[in-house]
Amino acid sequence: MNRKIRVLASKPGLDGHDRGIKVICRGLRDAGMEVIYTGLRQTPQQIASAALEEDVDVVAMSILSGAHDVLLPRVADLLKERRMEHVLLIAGGIIPEEDIDPLKQKGIREIFGPGTTIKEIKDYIITALAES
Amino acid sequence: MCDNNNIIRKEKTRWAETSSEKPTGDCMTDWGKPVEWLYTPADIEGLDYLSDIGFPGEYPFVRGVHPTMYLRRQWTMRQYAGFGTAEDTNRRYKYLLEQGQTGLSVAFDLPTQIGYDSDNPMSEGEVGKVGVAVDSLQDMEIMFDGISLDEISTSMTINAPAGILLAMYVVVAEKKGISPKKLRGTIQNDILKEYTARGTYIFPPRPSIRLITDIFEYCSKEIPQWNTVNVGGYHMREAGCSAVQEIAFSFSNAIAYIEAALKAGLDIDSFAPRISWIFNTHNKIFEEVAKYRAARKVWAKILKERYHAKNPKSWMLRFHTQTSGVSLTAQQPENNLIRVAYQALSAILGGAQSLAACSFDEALAIPTEKSVRLSLRTQQILAHEAGVTDTVDPLGGSYYVEALTKKMEEEITALIAKIDEMGGAIAAIEKGFIQREIEHRAYEIQKEIEENRRIVVGVNKYKTDETIHSALFKSDPAVAVRQTEKLQSLKGSRDNEKVRTALGSVRKAAQGNENLMPHFLNAVRCYATLGEICDVLREVFGEYMAVQTL
């Protein structure tokens, strides 16, 4: 139980806006988590493979390009295929209100919009992992 | 004068010490230096009006690049726009022009910016989302249908494949019977900041810069009124850097382009007058104005003293600015109207040549027709009602603004020297220096917001529980299907043998030293797709692997 929480932070798709995800990487590290950042332009396959190889507890994806409806559920499906349902899948970025429920139904556990604090994300991760 | 300033200093100390009130906190500049409680003539001691500030339209251009500034010509009102298919975007352009916009600015979707056709697997989910999808000349023809390219200037935010998109624009004009010599506009073509902030790189730095140099050379002869590069501080500022870093980092990038062009044998005055800029106008009004005043001076000095440019046009920093996207909030989005209006005011007080005002709903979606019209009206109210254009550089002579201008000039110059010592912008990027500086400051700002040391109205103060209004732009999921169908029918109807030959000549030119522009023109003319041309370049040049800084 002393193992640090391991987080894979990633940018799915072609979106280059990485200010948010980089801030979150630093924030979660300062909060004591182990964070691996994949960098830009990750395909769902690359994200799922990295999650498996790095044996992470959380996959956090940031997307501001509007491709969330296609790419995020694909990551969820690939994690399921690889029997990694236990991994906490979360996302953030510019995601319209009406897209949030459909994404949650497809396995994205929580969506964080603009204005979210690092603390809110950190607290959510700790609580959600403790519950599962 | 000195004696007088000593007296002022003494008197200021007396005034401050005996004042019945004191400021409650220390204000800081955007780049972390204290702001004085009050500025006096003593703060601009040693500043010589004629040599340090001078007159607008004359070296060192502190007060503006034109003698009359907005008294003779308004800035270009150029909203950044593009979404869906070329048909959708053509309709939006016509709407904006009808509403009084005076220039066009094309937002391409991410696959276009990264050189993938809409039917490439990498494009999935991204087609037509953050901009318009352009796969071939056909899309460009549709996008500018009914728009007079000899009358309007067009700015295209395109970097890695800039030469190819420019070639498409030239051929569209050619088909309308307009000579390239008459075309006015801009391609961003600023690859270095893609590595540090914006992320739409394709190729590694060396071949990327060769592409830029090819464009400089070709355009200086064939498209002489075209701005061949639009060097950007905007995106690095959005990603987190300070106002000083914004200018210094973008100037260092431009220095790298100049060095490459000189090395390729170009004369400085053959390309420097066509270097244009895009900066970010952020929240702090006086600092933004001072930033532009200082930047004009630093740039003029670099071109005149370091590169010995003779043509005064080479010394002039002509810039477009967009208000700050990152300062907009998803919470209480109407507040963004006010932020944008203040930022637009700063841009005009700072002497911008061209302006895009963000729309209030941009933290949530692509702007609607109504929200983008409000942005345009914000500009028009400034131009016609506010009186800020009635005289040149109205803030010149303010003790505060002049002191800030001087301070920023010093700090920008020092930071450029630091990057020079590292071996220039490319070396600084390869070492991850610029990326880390940006990341570091972005994180510090976030901590300030979370600890309430920095107030963001509606986010960490004056919060409400209201839900976001619903009149947002919705993207059309059928765009990708339509683009794929267009591509299929194009590939069935064009002369594929001609395309193969054209692509072969692109490959040969890329492998050698021949200028690529005529080959791009040749390829787009026979409807080779953007993806096909970029694939050839990818094979020859390879792809950039990002430096990991985290």
Side-chain angles (χ1 to χ4, degrees), chain B residues 426-455:
Chain B
I426 298 172
I429 291 165
E430 282 170 350
K431 286 179 189 134
F433 168 75
I434 292 174
Q435 298 90 312
R436 265 188 286 268
E437 289 286 303
I438 294 170
E439 286 160 18
H440 173 74
R441 192 162 174 283
Y443 187 41
E444 291 306 312
I445 290 171
Q446 182 62 25
K447 285 197 287 192
E448 286 172 20
I449 294 169
E450 294 195 15
E451 291 160 14
N452 283 316
R453 288 181 286 129
R454 179 186 285 257
I455 302 303

Side-chain angles (χ1 to χ4, degrees), chain A residues 12-31 35-44 46 63-71 74 93-98 113-120, chain B residues 110-111 114 116 122-126 129-130 194 196-202 237-241 282 326 329-331 362-365 435-436 439-443 445-447 450 459 468 472 474-475 538 543 546 548-550:
Chain A
L14 304 179
D15 179 26
H17 295 94
D18 56 3
R19 177 178 182 153
I21 195 77
K22 284 176 166 178
V23 162
I24 289 164
C25 285
R26 285 177 182 234
L28 295 181
R29 264 181 211 161
D30 283 354
V35 184
I36 302 117
Y37 176 50
T38 62
L40 301 179
R41 293 197 208 167
Q42 299 296 302
T43 61
Q46 285 171 318
I63 185 160
L64 290 80
S65 70
H68 52 270
D69 54 338
V70 176
L71 300 177
R74 197 151 301 160
I94 307 284
I95 295 174
E97 195 65 35
E98 70 261 28
T116 305
T117 61
I118 296 166
K119 188 177 178 305
E120 283 162 344
Chain B
L110 286 164
I114 301 173
Y116 294 125
M122 288 298 285
S123 306
E124 221 188 337
E126 311 273 15
K129 291 281 175 66
V130 303
E194 297 296 325
T196 56
R198 199 168 168 278
T200 68
Y201 44 75
I202 306 177
R237 188 79 184 278
E238 285 287 288
C241 81
H282 218 283
V326 82
T329 62
Q331 292 73 19
E362 273 188 60
L364 302 160
Q435 298 90 312
R436 265 188 286 268
E439 286 160 18
H440 173 74
R441 192 162 174 283
Y443 187 41
I445 290 171
Q446 182 62 25
K447 285 197 287 192
E450 294 195 15
V459 174
I468 292 161
L472 289 172
K474 283 191 183 54
S475 65
R538 269 185 263 262
E543 291 187 67
Q548 285 304 340
T549 50
L550 268 177

Side-chain angles (χ1 to χ4, degrees), chain B residues 247-258:
Chain B
I247 303 299
F249 293 163
S250 57
F251 279 14
S252 293
N253 288 346
I255 287 169
Y257 304 141
I258 290 178

Side-chain angles (χ1 to χ4, degrees), chain A residues 58-61 72 75-76 79 87-91 107-110:
Chain A
V58 183
V59 172
M61 297 177 289
L72 301 187
V75 176
L79 289 182
V87 172
L88 177 65
L89 193 55
I90 57 176
I108 320 301
R109 295 272 295 280
E110 193 55 85

Side-chain angles (χ1 to χ4, degrees), chain B residues 93-160:
Chain B
Y93 289 166
K94 287 180 175 161
Y95 173 78
L96 285 166
L97 292 170
E98 264 166 40
Q99 295 300 319
Q101 174 164 279
T102 52
L104 293 175
S105 172
V106 185
F108 294 103
D109 71 358
L110 286 164
T112 305
Q113 294 189 51
I114 301 173
Y116 294 125
D117 285 341
S118 297
D119 58 358
N120 188 300
M122 288 298 285
S123 306
E124 221 188 337
E126 311 273 15
V127 177
K129 291 281 175 66
V130 303
V132 55
V134 173
D135 290 321
S136 75
L137 177 63
Q138 192 182 46
D139 292 317
M140 210 67 149
E141 290 172 307
I142 297 165
M143 188 152 72
F144 293 104
D145 180 54
I147 294 171
S148 311
L149 301 188
D150 48 349
E151 285 166 21
I152 196 103
S153 69
T154 303
S155 172
M156 293 190 270
T157 298
I158 193 74
N159 293 279

Side-chain angles (χ1 to χ4, degrees), chain B residues 199-214:
Chain B
T200 68
Y201 44 75
I202 306 177
F203 318 112
R206 242 168 25 97
S208 294
I209 287 184
R210 177 253 172 118
L211 283 167
I212 295 172
T213 313
D214 280 1

Side-chain angles (χ1 to χ4, degrees), chain B residues 218-271:
Chain B
Y218 184 83
C219 292
S220 68
K221 293 174 194 134
E222 306 298 333
I223 323 172
Q225 297 192 75
W226 198 266
N227 295 317
T228 49
V229 64
N230 191 239
V231 192
Y234 185 89
H235 318 85
M236 293 186 276
R237 188 79 184 278
E238 285 287 288
C241 81
S242 72
V244 164
Q245 289 170 325
E246 175 189 3
I247 303 299
F249 293 163
S250 57
F251 279 14
S252 293
N253 288 346
I255 287 169
Y257 304 141
I258 290 178
E259 294 286 349
L262 295 177
K263 218 170 144 189
L266 304 189
D267 173 65
I268 184 80
D269 286 316
S270 77
F271 64 89

Side-chain angles (χ1 to χ4, degrees), chain B residues 27-77:
Chain B
C27 290
M28 302 296 250
T29 63
D30 174 69
W31 70 97
K33 294 285 160 66
V35 178
E36 296 278 324
W37 172 8
L38 187 82
Y39 285 81
T40 70
D43 294 296
I44 50 171
E45 186 171 17
L47 211 59
D48 179 70
Y49 182 78
L50 292 178
S51 63
D52 294 325
I53 300 173
F55 292 96
E58 288 181 7
Y59 187 86
F61 304 102
V62 173
R63 308 200 67 181
V65 288
H66 302 302
T68 50
M69 288 304 288
Y70 309 124
L71 293 167
R72 267 180 74 94
R73 72 183 105 173
Q74 227 171 49
W75 66 90
T76 306
M77 297 180 187

